[in-house]
Amino acid sequence: VVVAILAAMYGGAEGQNCGSLYPAISFWLTPCLQYSAPLPPFGITFYPAFYPCCAGLGSLLSYTSYTNHTLDCLCVQSYLSSASGFYSTLNTNTLQSLPSSCGVTLPFTVSTSFNCT
């Protein structure tokens, strides 16, 4: 099931424009989605161990230190937009606060609507 979801997310046009970065972003950010989206079928928010999310954000920061921040930002937005189709809603305030909660300062905001340019 997880492979099918990731394949569907990667298959979008936006994901293909991000090339090899898109699967990595998916891997790094997927653990964070559970903190910003109610999970079906009960609409409750699930909070397991926070470490995988923080580790993923740390990996994203390490990667973005050497790359094009605008492209990175656009790829993160593309992933979050794709992921929102698998979750009823993504709480953008929670998404934006996750890096600081993990002690990570990214060169862009983790959001579906941040101006990346």
Side-chain angles (χ1 to χ4, degrees), residues 37-98:
L39 297 175
F42 306 109
I44 58 172
T45 303
F46 179 63
Y47 294 96
F50 202 56
Y51 177 78
C53 174
C54 291
L57 289 170
S59 295
L60 179 60
L61 174 62
S62 294
Y63 180 83
T64 60
S65 298
Y66 304 102
T67 59
N68 177 336
H69 299 317
T70 301
L71 178 62
D72 298 339
C73 178
L74 291 170
C75 291
V76 166
Q77 284 184 346
S78 173
Y79 169 72
L80 293 174
S81 295
S82 296
S84 67
F86 295 99
Y87 292 87
S88 57
T89 58
L90 289 176
N91 183 325
T92 55
N93 292 332
T94 303
L95 278 174
Q96 292 173 7
S97 70
L98 285 172

